[in-house]
Amino acid sequence: MQSLLLPLLLVLVLAVPLVMSSRKQKKQQAAQQELQSSLAPGDRVMTTSGLYGTVADASGDTTIDIEIAPGVVTTWLRLAVREKVEPVVETEEDSADEVVAPAEETIAEPAAKADEPQTTAQVAPPLEHGKK
């Protein structure tokens, strides 16, 4: 009995995480398939490459048309849609509270002290190499 206990524990230690991870993957796949089948025109989506757009046509079985800019419609595989995102809604408060860039401030040079002598930078003449 003792000789079977160690191999049985090893199998359990290795098998339980594998079973749990496969269940998690199946749930994620089911959720992704449900998302891709539920896409409809007007939905705001993000692709796997990070491109945001609005679904223009979802009538194809394997492809979907996404409007990425006004008047610019591109065709994508349904599998390229990562997630639905909430549409951007601009409220009156957002448009009224526009961020105004601060004006450039000029940095005042410190005034010279009366007891310190004022010096000007002297530039040395360029060195001439190789001339004799």
Side-chain angles (χ1 to χ4, degrees):
M1 184 76 169
Q2 290 288 358
S3 63
L4 293 176
L5 187 61
L6 182 62
L8 183 62
L9 285 175
L10 285 174
V11 168
L12 284 175
V13 167
L14 295 175
V16 170
L18 288 175
V19 170
M20 296 302 284
S21 67
S22 68
R23 288 182 65 209
K24 184 178 178 182
Q25 286 179 348
K26 285 181 184 179
K27 286 181 183 180
Q28 287 176 343
Q29 286 176 346
Q32 188 70 18
Q33 287 176 350
E34 189 263 321
L35 165 77
Q36 291 168 357
S37 64
S38 70
L39 293 174
D43 288 342
R44 183 111 170 110
V45 295
M46 181 179 73
T47 64
T48 55
S49 61
L51 182 78
Y52 289 91
T54 304
V55 176
D57 181 28
S59 61
D61 290 335
T62 59
T63 60
I64 189 168
D65 291 339
I66 298 176
E67 184 176 17
I68 57 175
V72 180
V73 178
T74 57
T75 302
W76 293 75
L77 287 173
R78 280 185 181 265
L79 297 175
V81 176
R82 177 182 289 162
E83 63 185 78
K84 284 185 184 180
V85 294
E86 295 297 320
V88 178
V89 179
E90 186 173 323
T91 61
E92 292 179 19
E93 294 173 0
D94 292 341
S95 61
D97 297 335
E98 292 182 14
V99 177
V100 178
E104 288 187 28
E105 296 179 9
T106 56
I107 300 174
E109 294 184 21
K113 294 182 181 176
D115 56 344
E116 290 184 12
Q118 293 184 1
T119 59
T120 58
Q122 296 180 355
V123 179
L127 297 175
E128 296 181 18
H129 295 287
K131 286 192 175 181
K132 293 185 178 183

